[in-house]
Amino acid sequence: MKDTKDPQARLDALRADTERRNPAQPEFHQAVREVLDSLAPVFAVRPELADPSLGLLERIVEPERQILFRVPWQDDHGRIHVNRGYRVEFNSALGPYKGGLRFHPSVDIGVVKFLGFEQIFKNALTGLGIGGGKGGSDFDPHGKSDAEVMRFCQSFMTELYRHIGEHTDVPAGDIGVGGREIGYLFGQYRRITNRWEAGVLTGKGQGWGGSAIRPEATGYGSVLFAAEMLAVRGLGLSGQTAVVSGSGNVAIYTIEKLQQLGANPVTASDSQGYVVDEKGIDLALLRQIKEVERGRVSEYAARRGPSAKYVAGGSVWDVAADVAFPSATQNELGEEAARTLIRNGVKAVSEGANMPTTPEAVRLFQEAGVAFGPGKAANAGGVAVSALEMAQNASRSAWTPARVEEELAEIMRSIHAVSYETAERYGAPGDYVTGANIAGFERVADAMLVQGLI
Ligand code: NDP
């Protein structure tokens, strides 16, 4: 790579080099670009961090370890299938690798690396001593029986177990991996290792080592982050109409917290379409369909009555709202959707999902003065409560829901404050993307520098 001391030229060269060395990984390129684009102001103040002779930036974009493995499993008819398993252990300068497992057909090494890279800075922002990692498989749990999902999880863990541990690498859930999957994965880990090592996975059930409020944490945290952003502008969530995408773990608890705070969430979606309910989402019905029956949101409209309408294949962002919560998947909110939301008067966007907003859409929101909370900051509540789950496991204790929720609220306030203040300090007031990226980066970089060449 070009050995220049000009910080911007260094960043451009590093970006080009990363793209060349990691071909066909567009999501990873996008995540790296977003962080690098924020860092120039840091190097102006702290040039030592960009010193080419340290190679710090080159090390940060390269995972410490990448594990790829075969996952053979048998369906209910006796047929053998082969999926691919991944675990990317990206950076452990601040603590054991920590980050979820995603089961979705779109998962490949580039997707896992984008998620792992984001996770480094997100985890640093929580201040809780956790490194960054991510994993998953191209297995699609949709339409599979419980027995098939169990056999898949057992096969997946039969390889993964040798790479993880409560002080090494601690996976959790993500898309397609919820309480059911964590149960099967934990059971197989325990069986192979003959150890009750509760802290090896988070998102466990509450009767066997899980934390209160862990299922709720990402969605709740994303709403609390939006409330903080609005408070800076003298606004609140009460009485605001909200548009939420997705209908999984993050979306459901985003809707729940919005309702608790007096807002009116009117949508939910899945990969086939969205539902808009002018009376506000009936959460009990949505949960019955998604969590119990594992059905589609189209069934919500069919059962809810005349207040709800299902739009097959449409964009949920066409629905007018004061606040928006993209909570499904990456790049689900593009330029056109951003223009529509802005035209309809949106005041804040809080990313419950990871990288759901395209870079062009982020720019449009920022130019229009919309408060924009990037996933690294806004959805860090999930991993934060995972770290609290690890703390409870280590001390063999179980905290009350009220205590965990209080800690979560405090952590979200602190992530908002550090992102806000860092943006101000580096001359980008109100720009939470810059603030979160720089604050996370400084914590990781400082730890790496004093730990020698790692
Ligand atoms: P779930 O599997 O519980 O739900 C995912 C939801 O998103 C489903 O409604 C799914 O619909 C929809 N979805 C998935 N892929 C697509 C797609 N390609 N197009 C449209 N819709 C899609 O996952 P989570 O709620 O846990 O995760 C949602 C997002 O939040 C992800 O970006 C994840 O990385 C992020 N996140 C999750 C955390 C957690 O604690 N769970 C923590 C931090 C971030 P369908 O069923 O049709 O696929």
Side-chain angles (χ1 to χ4, degrees):
M1 206 189 89
K2 216 165 109 198
D3 198 8
T4 168
K5 292 212 183 233
D6 168 39
Q8 191 54 55
R10 279 263 300 141
L11 290 171
D12 291 345
L14 179 69
R15 202 171 61 203
D17 207 46
T18 307
E19 292 180 8
R20 185 186 58 74
R21 297 184 68 224
N22 300 276
Q25 298 179 7
E27 295 87 358
F28 179 54
H29 300 168
Q30 185 181 335
V32 169
R33 174 178 286 234
E34 191 235 301
V35 171
L36 294 184
D37 280 352
S38 302
L39 296 183
V42 188
F43 301 137
V45 180
R46 301 183 60 191
E48 76 280 5
L49 294 181
D51 184 344
S53 63
L54 279 176
L56 179 74
L57 295 172
E58 286 76 3
R59 284 184 276 151
I60 268 186
V61 297
E62 187 69 24
E64 289 175 15
R65 193 174 297 104
Q66 305 182 53
I67 301 148
L68 266 81
F69 51 99
R70 178 174 68 196
V71 190
W73 60 280
Q74 196 167 28
D75 68 21
D76 289 343
H77 310 287
R79 205 178 138 207
I80 305 300
H81 300 263
V82 177
N83 283 99
R84 216 168 259 177
Y86 302 89
R87 187 71 185 166
V88 171
E89 298 179 335
F90 222 119
N91 193 304
S92 59
L94 294 179
Y97 310 106
K98 182 88 199 81
L101 298 171
R102 175 176 292 191
F103 292 170
H104 192 271
S106 64
V107 168
D108 62 19
I109 188 65
V111 167
V112 178
K113 279 168 67 182
F114 121 63
L115 291 163
F117 187 70
E118 291 271 299
Q119 198 81 44
I120 303 170
F121 307 103
K122 179 190 308 192
N123 292 4
L125 279 174
T126 68
L128 291 174
I130 37 181
K134 201 85 187 188
S137 173
D138 57 357
F139 173 74
D140 185 359
H142 287 109
K144 305 289 190 301
S145 70
D146 284 353
E148 288 171 331
V149 170
M150 182 185 73
R151 286 196 293 275
F152 176 81
C153 289
Q154 291 181 336
S155 182
F156 186 85
M157 185 53 86
T158 300
E159 172 59 35
L160 186 69
Y161 89 94
R162 62 187 97 240
H163 308 288
I164 61 176
E166 62 186 347
H167 303 299
T168 313
D169 182 356
V170 183
D174 190 79
I175 291 179
V177 178
R180 174 182 61 170
E181 290 75 16
I182 293 292
Y184 295 148
L185 290 164
F186 185 72
Q188 184 72 350
Y189 182 84
R190 207 165 52 68
R191 179 193 196 193
I192 295 173
T193 60
N194 192 29
R195 280 202 300 269
W196 180 274
E197 196 185 324
V200 70
L201 287 173
T202 58
K204 299 179 294 295
Q206 271 189 61
W208 45 280
S211 174
I213 308 295
R214 175 60 189 91
E216 293 88 344
T218 307
Y220 278 20
S222 163
V223 176
L224 296 174
F225 195 88
E228 292 289 324
M229 293 194 297
L230 288 171
V232 169
R233 295 161 179 234
L235 300 167
L237 274 170
S238 180
Q240 310 274 11
T241 300
V243 59
V244 179
S245 68
S247 51
N249 171 269
V250 178
I252 280 175
Y253 291 105
T254 295
I255 291 170
E256 183 167 281
K257 181 50 85 181
L258 283 166
Q259 290 176 341
Q260 286 172 7
L261 296 181
N264 186 25
V266 292
T267 63
S269 72
D270 59 26
S271 51
Q272 293 167 0
Y274 73 88
V275 63
V276 53
D277 188 336
E278 64 190 31
K279 280 196 192 154
I281 293 291
D282 175 342
L283 194 56
L285 177 60
L286 184 66
R287 294 185 69 160
Q288 170 66 26
I289 291 168
K290 296 303 297 185
E291 294 180 340
V292 180
E293 300 167 24
R294 297 185 185 271
R296 316 299 307 169
V297 294
S298 54
E299 293 158 39
Y300 175 96
R303 275 147 74 173
R304 170 71 161 152
S307 70
K309 182 175 80 162
Y310 176 66
V311 183
S315 165
V316 71
W317 313 117
D318 289 343
V319 177
D322 304 303
V323 279
F325 293 85
S327 310
T329 194
Q330 63 269 15
N331 294 325
E332 56 163 313
L333 198 172
E335 214 172 329
E336 198 188 318
R339 286 188 204 286
T340 308
L341 283 166
I342 292 165
R343 206 168 40 245
N344 286 334
V346 76
K347 302 181 192 85
V349 177
S350 185
E351 289 190 323
N354 284 311
M355 209 169 73
T357 315
T358 65
E360 300 75 29
V362 173
R363 206 163 21 251
L364 286 174
F365 286 133
Q366 291 180 329
E367 281 166 12
V370 174
F372 179 80
K376 256 184 219 94
N379 71 35
V383 76
V385 173
S386 274
L388 302 183
E389 183 172 330
M390 290 161 71
Q392 292 168 75
N393 294 153
S395 60
R396 295 196 186 279
S397 59
W399 302 353
T400 62
R403 175 172 175 193
V404 180
E405 201 168 342
E406 215 171 282
E407 298 253 0
L408 170 65
E410 185 47 45
I411 290 166
M412 294 316 297
R413 268 195 295 277
S414 136
I415 293 174
H416 175 272
V418 73
S419 305
Y420 184 84
E421 284 156 15
T422 306
E424 291 243 302
R425 187 152 44 89
Y426 283 102
D431 177 349
Y432 292 97
V433 176
T434 297
N437 282 338
I438 292 183
F441 171 78
E442 282 189 311
R443 286 182 182 171
V444 178
D446 287 340
M448 284 178 75
L449 282 182
V450 296
Q451 290 179 28
L453 179 52
I454 51 166

